[in-house]
Amino acid sequence: MVSRAGEQRLIDAIHAGQDLHTYMTSIVYDKSMESVTSGEREIMKNATFAFLYGAGDAKFARMAGIQIDQAKSFREVYARQFPAINAYAIRVDREGVNGNEIETEYLGRRQAVRSKKDSYKLLNYVTQGEAGDVLKKKLVELSMTDIGHYMRLPIHDEIIFEVPDAEVDHVLEVIQSVMPENGAFKVPLSVGTSVVSDWGEKYE
C-alpha cells in the first residue's frame, strides 16, 4: 500500500531500514522513535490494518483498545500525516463504487468487488491480493531450485521447510537469493528466516 500510494516519507523510511510502524508512530505522536512505547506502536499498527480492512471508528477502537473518540481523532491525524495513503484509499474506493476493476500490477490480475456497498473492501483485495501474488510466484521459483523438495507448507506469509541439519546453510542461502523482490515495487520486499527444531518454537 505504501508503494502504490507513493507515500514518499514512508518509502524513504523503508529504504533506510526503519521499522515502519515505529516510524509512523513517531510521526503521529510527534516524538522520537526511541521514545515510542510498545502500546503506542500497537495502536499505530492496528490503525494501519483498520485502514487497510476498511474498518470504521468503532471497530478500530475495539482493535486498538481505545475509546471511540480517541479512535476518531487518531484516524484524522493519520489521514493528515499520510495524505498519499489517504488519497490512494479514496481513489480505490471510488473505483469500487463505480463498479470498476483494479489491476494488480505484479502479475496483472484484476480485483473487483461484487457490489458498490462493498467498495471499501477493494483496497484490501488489491493490497492483500498483490502480496499473495508475490508469495505464489516465489513459491514457484523456489520449487524450481534444488531445495524445492524441502518445502512443506505455506502459512499466511511464511513457508515451512523441513531440512536436514547438514543442508540448513545451503537452504538459507537459496531462500535469501530467491525470495526478496527488489525490482517490482518502489520499496524492496525482504525476507526473514528462522531455524527451529519445530514450528511451534518460533512462537514460544
Side-chain angles (χ1 to χ4, degrees):
M1 184 170 66
V2 169
S3 174
R4 292 293 181 227
E7 189 68 66
Q8 195 58 50
R9 265 198 307 185
L10 302 186
I11 291 171
D12 292 342
I14 292 172
H15 281 288
Q18 303 284 6
D19 175 84
L20 195 59
H21 294 305
T22 302
Y23 179 75
M24 294 172 73
T25 305
S26 72
I27 292 174
V28 169
Y29 283 92
D30 191 23
K31 62 195 304 185
S32 69
M33 291 181 63
E34 292 74 23
S35 61
V36 168
T37 68
S38 59
E40 291 167 342
R41 184 184 181 280
E42 189 65 19
I43 291 175
M44 171 55 66
K45 185 176 180 180
N46 280 314
T48 299
F49 289 141
F51 200 91
L52 178 62
Y53 296 138
D57 293 331
K59 187 169 184 178
F60 167 45
R62 291 196 300 272
M63 290 170 62
I66 58 179
Q67 298 298 314
I68 191 167
D69 58 334
Q70 292 175 290
K72 184 175 181 179
S73 297
F74 192 95
R75 292 181 67 148
E76 289 172 352
V77 175
Y78 188 104
R80 188 166 61 250
Q81 289 291 350
F82 310 115
I85 290 179
N86 193 53
Y88 176 67
I90 292 172
R91 186 165 69 251
V92 171
D93 181 75
R94 187 179 299 122
E95 295 297 329
V97 169
N98 292 334
N100 297 327
E101 298 177 333
I102 292 185
E103 183 175 305
T104 53
E105 298 175 25
Y106 189 70
L107 293 183
R109 289 199 306 113
R110 305 192 71 81
Q111 297 281 2
V113 290
R114 292 185 176 182
S115 67
K116 295 179 180 180
K117 67 181 178 64
D118 291 329
S119 62
Y120 70 94
K121 298 178 181 179
L122 188 55
L123 178 63
N124 182 41
Y125 289 175
V126 172
T127 305
Q128 298 277 45
E130 192 155 47
D133 288 345
V134 174
L135 179 60
K136 294 180 185 79
K137 183 172 182 290
K138 295 300 179 178
L139 282 169
V140 172
E141 291 177 4
L142 280 170
S143 72
M144 297 172 68
T145 69
D146 64 343
I147 70 166
H149 59 289
Y150 292 134
M151 282 198 298
R152 293 294 178 263
L153 185 69
I155 300 179
H156 300 299
D157 59 351
E158 299 182 348
I159 307 170
I160 295 178
F161 289 78
E162 191 172 32
V163 183
D165 290 344
E167 291 291 312
V168 167
D169 289 344
H170 172 64
V171 170
L172 290 175
E173 183 180 341
V174 174
I175 291 171
Q176 290 291 349
S177 173
V178 172
M179 283 299 293
E181 178 54 78
N182 297 319
F185 305 98
K186 294 177 182 176
V187 296
L189 300 183
S190 58
V191 61
T193 55
S194 299
V195 179
V196 293
S197 61
D198 63 73
W199 190 56
E201 278 187 20
K202 187 179 176 184
Y203 301 98
E204 289 180 348

